[in-house]
Amino acid sequence: MRRLLLVLPLLFATVLFVPVAPMFADPVPGTQPLTWEGDITSRLVDECDAFLLRRLEESVEKRSEYWGEDGKPSVERLKKALGLVDERVPFEGLELVATTEESSLVGEFADVEIHRVRWPVFGGVHGEGLFLKASENAKAWAIVLPDADQTPEQLCGNQSARYGPGEIVWDDSQLPLILASHGVNVIVPSLISREMTKRNNRANLSHREYLHRPAFILGRTMTGYEVQKVLALVDWISGKDESLPIGVAGCGEGGMIALYAGAVDDRIDTTLVSSYFGNRQDIWKQPISRQVFGLLREFGDAELGSMIAPRKLIIESTRGPVVNLPGEGGAPAVVEEMPLAFSGNNHPELERLKKLSGKSEIIFSDARVDSRGGFYFFNRYVTVPFLNALSAKPIMQKDFQETISHLIVQVQGEEKAHHKFVKERLQRQIAELDRHNQEVMNESPYVRKEFMKGLDTSSVEAYEKSVETYRDIFREEVIGEYDLPLDPFNARSRKTWETDKWVGYEVVLDVFDGVFAYGALLMPKDIKGPEDKRPVVVCQHGLEGRPTDAFLDDHRAYHDFAGKLAERGFITFCPQNVYIFKDRFRTLQRKSYPLGTTLFSLIVPQHQQIVNWLKTQPNVDGDRIGFYGLSYGGKSAMRIPALVTDYSLSICSADFNEWVRKNASTRLPYSYVWTGEYEIYEFDLGSTFNYAEMAALIAPRPFMVERGHFDGVGWDEWVAYEFAKVRNLYAAQLGIGDRTEIEYFVGPHTINGQGTFDFLHKHLNWPKSK
């Protein structure tokens, strides 16, 4: 079979038409012929996907490697992963939510009153919900959490107070009423709903994702915020009388919150998890607000359940909420009904829990089938044991229906007013958490400044030594890494492009466990022989890009910068990074999160392998390999050279920013909160590494920013603000101000190729006239 080498003109280059050549001929000397056909980029994404799915499955058996001497998962690591870092506010009592026109009392039955209440949690954030006051001298307390798309009122008998046309909560699922009728004081918190709203006329996000995005980069999570609301109540109840039993129950999203709360707080005596407990290996498909960084490295649902033991755990397997969130700027997500095979004694996660918990008491009920249809939960087989664990007056299963028949709640007020109130309460809760996120964001520079105090700037040598601690933190805790050595190169290549100035090759290198690196190598034609050592510039494409964007067809953003540099005598290499094919690559990030890794956990070793291989090439000077990336490639320029120290310099084009603010702000118009890049968020950069701190990991190597005044990725003032910290480190603290620059130019999101080219010539020691 024959193929025609692609021959395209470059600036100042004469087109050289090459005759037809064998398809797999002319590899780079020392490599094997590259014989792959089809789209190698697509193949790369598929291999990364397969790798991550294997790692997710393997995580189950590896979790015990992270446990302590007591043979249990770490409560403190779980708290950190959930983002339980904000100090909770002590309070004396629940606040009644009332006005001069409207009472807090919304319902009553028998001797039980139902009041609207709120309580402080942290900062300016409150929990809100209903308080079922059974008795002044109640002998037990329960916190009952609805699903995210249910209101507390629905669990308490008022089906008109719904967010929308949701499913009915049947009488025998109204657990708060049943508990209160037996003398248990009950609080029913309101959760943030999954309702979709178009934000800033751009991304269509659920309320939960809208709050989770900025929370995640600030070291918090949406899940953690709601766990905190539960724990604030536990603080208050146990402070009143620590001998009083406390139970926490939840269904759907509320079941998730209950499971986490029970795992982190041993003051909770009994935990009831309904319509949630199961295998979490597919958490990457579920609402992104459920994502917890590093969760499956140590904690599956069975492990969380084992952390509750030997306290009582009750699990109900029901149909649960079925969720389907569209990918309209937000992260697409599904929550499916648990397969029928995962019921009763055939429930694999339950079997793992039993092995981990030994002889601890676990009550399990499968109540999926109900002739009325709908979301059925809190059946009598879990309600009765939950009540009996809390109450001094136990009831029998046969008495359950009689209890239900007497629960007739007198609802106070008009139906329309109830519906209006639940909407207003939801908006209050969203606004409070939004404000809290913004306050944490504004405080984060001071937190990072304290975090970086360990850097020794007394000399360049002392700095290079002290920065290694931070590099390790960045690698292990922020980017994440896989415990795998790099494979032998097994380099394969083929000549694919040619002009009168350079020859281009496709190159494939093995990395590890099926993952490979792929890119284009451009070799100048004026290389004299093996003694002619040249600097290399690794030219990185941006989002949805390919290696050829950097040297073919004068792409409006890249302007053939790799080809132009090759004309100047630099060897250039254009890697294929995995951020391509939209949701196909974004799900790679979502599969990485639960493992405590990110996209860059794959990209960094790919680049390490590329650099290692380049150093073996006869015309490469291994001490003069620079990195130059645009857009997502600029994002790469901040992260990859920070960890691949073989890169002797880095240039960040069309990306440098006050990165934490760009991710977390709900005020800036260019914030990622409004866009479809739901994969962009990295956990807890807010208290660790903004772009100035990442640049500190690149220092003392040369570092440059290329910034177009009309580039919509940010505003000049915020770019200048962040770069000023970089400049201060290089010039004022280390005395190497000549190693860092920023070039502003009048233009958009594009390679300018003026000051940056000069920077490359200067710091890679390559004359312009060569």
Side-chain angles (χ1 to χ4, degrees):
M1 192 175 187
R2 315 277 288 176
R3 74 197 291 259
L4 179 64
L5 300 183
L6 299 179
V7 183
L8 294 173
L10 298 179
L11 192 60
F12 308 125
T14 302
V15 178
L16 177 66
F17 290 96
V18 179
V20 173
M23 182 174 224
F24 307 124
D26 300 323
V28 174
T31 69
Q32 297 299 311
L34 176 60
T35 60
W36 290 357
E37 298 186 47
D39 188 346
I40 295 178
T41 296
S42 183
R43 181 172 182 164
L44 172 60
V45 173
D46 284 344
E47 289 294 346
C48 290
D49 185 71
F51 168 80
L52 289 169
L53 290 173
R54 288 195 299 273
R55 297 293 287 194
L56 285 168
E57 289 305 314
E58 292 166 3
S59 70
V60 177
E61 299 302 321
K62 293 184 176 182
R63 287 173 194 157
S64 60
E65 297 174 9
Y66 295 88
W67 299 351
E69 293 180 0
D70 60 357
K72 287 192 174 184
S74 168
V75 172
E76 292 308 311
R77 281 199 293 272
L78 179 58
K79 287 180 178 179
K80 181 180 179 181
L82 288 168
L84 307 186
V85 295
D86 297 299
E87 185 175 354
R88 294 191 296 275
V89 178
F91 59 93
E92 295 298 321
L94 300 172
E95 302 172 23
L96 299 178
V97 178
T99 68
T100 56
E101 303 298 320
E102 193 169 7
S103 169
S104 66
L105 183 68
V106 294
E108 55 188 331
F109 66 97
D111 296 326
V112 178
E113 295 180 347
I114 306 176
H115 290 271
R116 293 170 177 160
V117 296
R118 74 172 196 162
W119 59 96
V121 183
F122 49 74
V125 174
H126 295 79
E128 286 200 54
L130 297 181
F131 172 39
L132 284 71
K133 185 178 179 182
S135 169
E136 290 285 354
N137 301 306
K139 300 302 181 184
W141 286 79
I143 302 164
V144 181
L145 297 140
D147 177 57
D149 288 334
Q150 296 171 335
T151 67
E153 286 77 6
Q154 284 182 271
L155 286 190
C156 296
N158 183 0
Q159 300 307 308
S160 65
R162 294 186 289 190
Y163 290 132
E167 296 175 335
I168 294 293
V169 177
W170 301 109
D171 293 349
D172 47 355
S173 289
Q174 294 168 14
L175 178 62
L177 303 183
I178 297 167
L179 296 173
S181 70
H182 285 80
V184 178
N185 279 346
V186 184
I187 302 169
V188 189
S190 172
L191 302 190
I192 303 297
S193 82
R194 303 187 193 93
E195 181 183 3
M196 304 290 291
T197 300
K198 198 161 191 177
R199 306 283 176 178
N200 206 23
N201 202 33
R202 295 175 75 180
N204 188 26
L205 306 177
S206 72
H207 294 317
R208 298 182 72 81
E209 182 175 352
Y210 170 70
L211 295 170
H212 179 76
R213 285 188 179 195
F216 194 77
I217 197 169
L218 297 169
R220 281 85 171 159
T221 65
M222 184 64 245
T223 298
Y225 280 156
E226 293 186 326
V227 171
Q228 287 275 59
K229 292 185 178 186
V230 172
L231 298 186
L233 291 171
V234 175
D235 293 341
W236 173 62
I237 296 166
S238 61
K240 289 163 62 72
D241 184 347
E242 62 181 19
S243 67
L244 292 178
I246 301 173
V248 176
C251 59
E253 215 74 7
M256 174 185 71
I257 304 301
L259 182 60
Y260 283 122
V264 300
D265 199 325
D266 61 9
R267 295 173 300 175
I268 297 171
D269 299 284
T270 303
T271 304
L272 194 170
V273 178
S274 176
S275 54
Y276 177 76
F277 188 88
N279 185 332
R280 269 326 120 204
Q281 306 310 104
D282 66 348
I283 194 170
W284 59 271
K285 297 179 183 177
Q286 297 173 20
I288 201 167
S289 59
R290 290 184 173 187
Q291 289 281 16
V292 176
F293 189 67
L295 177 70
L296 297 184
R297 191 166 49 188
E298 189 169 356
F299 313 98
D301 283 9
E303 285 77 16
L304 295 173
S306 74
M307 295 168 73
I308 295 173
R311 292 168 288 136
K312 183 168 289 187
L313 173 61
I314 303 169
I315 298 170
E316 180 182 41
S317 178
T318 70
R319 181 177 73 85
V322 175
V323 178
N324 194 335
L325 301 180
E328 299 170 350
V334 295
V335 177
E336 299 172 338
E337 181 178 351
M338 186 180 295
L340 286 172
F342 287 6
S343 62
N345 293 326
N346 295 319
H347 196 306
E349 197 70 8
L350 180 64
E351 293 306 307
R352 287 204 321 109
L353 172 58
K354 289 177 180 178
K355 291 178 182 178
L356 292 171
S357 301
K359 296 181 180 180
S360 299
E361 183 176 2
I362 301 167
I363 297 173
F364 177 82
S365 172
D366 182 358
R368 210 178 326 226
V369 179
D370 186 79
S371 59
R372 297 166 296 186
F375 179 7
Y376 179 57
F377 53 94
F378 295 151
N379 77 84
R380 61 178 177 172
Y381 298 105
V382 297
T383 294
V384 170
F386 183 74
L387 172 60
N388 289 343
L390 300 175
S391 176
K393 299 178 181 178
I395 66 169
M396 305 298 290
Q397 297 282 2
K398 62 183 178 62
D399 301 322
F400 180 78
Q401 198 57 45
E402 183 179 348
T403 298
I404 297 298
S405 65
H406 288 88
L407 297 180
I408 302 175
V409 179
Q410 301 298 317
V411 178
Q412 312 293 314
E414 297 180 0
E415 178 178 320
K416 185 176 180 181
H418 285 287
H419 185 72
K420 178 174 179 287
F421 178 83
V422 299
K423 289 285 189 182
E424 291 173 346
R425 179 180 60 203
L426 175 62
Q427 291 306 315
R428 281 197 302 273
Q429 298 223 288
I430 292 170
E432 284 186 352
L433 287 173
D434 184 14
R435 282 195 298 270
H436 181 72
N437 281 337
Q438 301 311 292
E439 289 168 4
V440 173
M441 176 191 71
N442 289 330
E443 184 66 20
S444 68
Y446 306 101
V447 178
R448 292 191 297 276
K449 195 175 185 70
E450 182 68 22
F451 170 69
M452 298 296 286
K453 281 177 65 174
L455 288 175
D456 184 349
T457 57
S458 61
S459 69
V460 171
E461 294 73 20
Y463 182 86
E464 288 180 305
K465 184 177 180 180
S466 65
V467 79
E468 290 306 312
T469 298
Y470 290 94
R471 198 183 321 281
D472 289 342
I473 294 170
F474 189 60
R475 178 186 295 108
E476 296 167 10
E477 299 181 22
V478 177
I479 297 299
E481 65 176 344
Y482 298 109
D483 53 347
L484 294 170
L486 295 177
D487 289 341
F489 300 130
N490 187 24
R492 289 140 286 168
S493 67
R494 61 188 173 214
K495 188 166 86 170
T496 310
W497 310 276
E498 186 169 358
T499 73
D500 63 342
K501 296 290 187 181
W502 50 261
V503 177
Y505 300 87
E506 291 177 86
V507 178
V508 169
L509 306 169
D510 289 348
V511 178
F512 51 53
D513 196 13
V515 175
F516 62 90
Y518 169 58
L521 175 70
L522 307 188
M523 297 292 292
K525 283 189 170 181
D526 63 351
I527 293 176
K528 305 282 190 300
E531 73 287 346
D532 186 358
K533 301 291 186 181
R534 299 289 181 96
V536 179
V537 182
V538 172
C539 301
Q540 190 60 66
H541 65 77
L543 181 66
E544 298 296 331
R546 292 177 182 260
T548 50
D549 292 338
F551 59 88
L552 290 182
D553 297 335
D554 192 22
H555 188 287
R556 68 182 184 278
Y558 303 100
H559 298 301
D560 295 343
F561 76 114
K564 291 174 182 177
L565 288 168
E567 292 173 25
R568 290 176 177 233
F570 294 95
I571 296 171
T572 59
F573 190 92
C574 308
Q576 176 68 67
N577 279 359
V578 295
Y579 37 75
I580 187 170
F581 303 127
K582 299 182 180 179
D583 283 339
R584 278 180 63 193
F585 93 80
R586 293 194 165 100
T587 59
L588 299 183
Q589 182 81 305
R590 295 193 62 185
K591 290 164 187 167
S592 300
Y593 283 153
L595 297 169
T597 57
T598 63
L599 281 178
F600 283 96
S601 306
L602 294 168
I603 295 171
V604 166
Q606 287 173 322
H607 275 257
Q608 185 65 65
Q609 191 75 319
I610 288 168
V611 171
N612 291 350
W613 179 75
L614 285 171
K615 285 184 171 184
T616 69
Q617 299 308 294
N619 296 113
V620 169
D621 183 342
D623 294 327
R624 292 187 291 162
I625 303 178
F627 189 102
Y628 186 179
L630 172 117
S631 193
Y632 225 120
K635 218 174 312 300
S636 301
M638 299 308 304
R639 291 157 178 80
I640 298 171
L643 296 176
V644 180
T645 56
D646 303 87
Y647 282 122
S648 60
L649 64 78
S650 183
I651 300 175
C652 175
S653 177
D655 182 71
F656 191 85
N657 242 298
E658 210 282 37
W659 184 253
V660 171
R661 188 171 297 272
K662 179 175 173 61
N663 280 258
S665 174
T666 53
R667 182 68 179 89
L668 291 174
Y670 59 82
S671 170
Y672 277 121
V673 171
W674 319 120
T675 73
E677 286 97 334
Y678 56 82
E679 88 295 340
I680 210 76
Y681 292 87
E682 295 151 301
F683 186 65
D684 201 21
L685 288 186
S687 61
T688 54
F689 298 93
N690 204 338
Y691 271 13
E693 289 76 26
M694 292 185 201
L697 300 181
I698 296 169
R701 291 166 288 160
F703 172 71
M704 183 175 180
V705 171
E706 185 175 47
R707 163 71 190 169
H709 285 302
F710 300 124
D711 190 341
V713 300
W715 288 343
D716 284 353
E717 53 265 43
W718 281 117
V719 174
Y721 161 81
E722 192 69 9
F723 185 76
K725 293 182 277 186
V726 179
R727 176 71 184 169
N728 179 274
L729 172 65
Y730 274 78
Q733 298 181 58
L734 294 176
I736 52 172
D738 63 327
R739 298 189 194 178
T740 191
E741 297 179 27
I742 185 168
E743 181 192 50
Y744 293 96
F745 64 93
V746 179
H749 190 75
T750 184
I751 293 285
N752 190 45
Q754 300 297 316
T756 52
F757 281 21
D758 290 344
F759 191 82
L760 290 167
H761 280 289
K762 174 183 177 181
H763 291 288
L764 294 181
N765 192 23
W766 187 250
K768 292 184 182 180
S769 59
K770 189 75 174 179

